[in-house]
Amino acid sequence: MKTINIDIVSDIACPWCAIGYARLEQAMKQLASEYEFGLQWHAFELNPDHTGEGEPILPALARKYGRSEDEMRATQNQMMTIAKDLGLNFEKMQERFTCNTFDAHRLVKWAAEQGKQTEMKQALFEAYFGKAEDVSDPNVLLGCVESLGLDRDKAKQILDSDEFADVVREDEATYQQAGVSAVPAFIVNGKYLISGAQEPDTLVQAFEEIGAKPE
């Protein structure tokens, strides 16, 4: 059986990243009899300079994109429908606040060492989009850790330290230098870039074409 390795560059605060992974899961299921998939998550921050209190998401997005709050609400409504069809919880998507995701990315790196990086990412997506929780709040992050059966005390030690900070910054620098300016981005077998939350059928076709190429 052939192996396809996928590096996923994404941010916890990015709804299309959650949708993109759910679509990727569907594509991987379709190809499970032909390919084994290796996944590695990498950090990207949509709002790396965010500090202090969060701002309600709709006015924040309206200002960022130069559009009205009503337009942003309509866009978010579309995403909520797409997410629901994929089995994702985006119920509180429009009630969330902007926040910094750096510490959340550090915990994803730690969870990777426990074989739970994807589960951690999904728990964080659920907290942010499903429950409108502040994923920069240590208590929220530790709640995600506990929900996966991981060691809360060890996670707290990490949050209280700078552990994994260099790894996250290195990730961000590496993929910015490689030209990744929007997420999600999927780098397949270290060579092929697939940008955006593509439909499962599009991903299946891409993986089959890549899998057919000589090593």
Side-chain angles (χ1 to χ4, degrees):
M1 189 178 278
K2 287 188 173 181
T3 299
I4 288 180
N5 291 305
I6 306 172
D7 291 289
I8 307 172
V9 187
S10 79
D11 190 12
I12 291 115
C14 162
W16 286 114
C17 291
I19 289 168
Y21 179 70
R23 288 174 169 172
L24 173 63
E25 273 191 315
Q26 291 189 353
M28 291 191 296
K29 276 181 191 164
Q30 287 185 46
L31 292 171
S33 63
E34 297 172 59
Y35 296 100
E36 285 183 346
F37 289 89
L39 301 183
Q40 196 68 42
W41 291 87
H42 299 283
F44 186 99
E45 287 181 272
L46 292 170
N47 200 358
D49 302 320
H50 192 291
T51 55
E53 292 293 308
E55 180 185 0
I57 197 67
L58 290 173
L61 290 173
R63 190 177 65 254
K64 181 175 180 178
Y65 293 110
R67 293 164 67 186
S68 72
E69 281 188 45
D70 284 343
E71 284 177 296
M72 296 317 302
R73 187 176 288 105
T75 302
Q76 301 249 309
N77 283 339
Q78 287 176 326
M79 276 191 269
M80 288 168 80
T81 301
I82 291 168
K84 193 169 187 179
D85 288 344
L86 289 164
L88 296 172
N89 179 5
F90 272 30
E91 292 299 316
K92 298 283 185 73
M93 183 184 190
Q94 300 188 23
E95 297 169 39
R96 65 198 160 104
F97 284 66
T98 60
C99 65
N100 185 286
T101 55
F102 189 79
D103 282 342
H105 283 301
R106 291 201 294 134
L107 282 188
V108 173
K109 291 295 181 190
W110 169 67
E113 294 187 350
Q114 326 298 312
K116 296 263 188 167
Q117 58 173 339
T118 296
E119 291 87 346
M120 178 61 78
K121 199 85 178 192
Q122 289 174 314
L124 290 163
F125 285 145
E126 169 101 6
Y128 192 51
F129 299 114
K131 303 175 189 168
E133 292 180 339
D134 178 359
V135 291
S136 66
D137 181 333
N139 288 322
V140 170
L141 295 174
L142 293 173
C144 290
V145 166
E146 280 189 312
S147 75
L148 301 178
L150 294 175
D151 186 335
R152 181 189 174 100
D153 291 339
K154 177 58 183 165
K156 188 173 187 311
Q157 282 175 23
I158 289 162
L159 291 176
D160 290 342
S161 72
D162 286 332
E163 210 172 336
F164 297 102
D166 289 346
V167 184
V168 171
R169 290 194 186 99
E170 195 177 302
D171 248 6
E172 292 176 341
T174 296
Y175 289 99
Q176 280 169 4
Q177 286 162 14
V180 174
S181 58
V183 287
F186 304 97
I187 295 98
V188 186
N189 288 348
K191 288 194 255 186
Y192 307 99
L193 172 65
I194 299 173
S195 295
Q198 302 295 335
E199 293 283 357
D201 289 348
T202 304
L203 293 170
V204 166
Q205 186 179 346
F207 294 148
E208 287 184 322
E209 286 174 9
I210 290 166
K213 293 176 187 289
E215 290 293 324

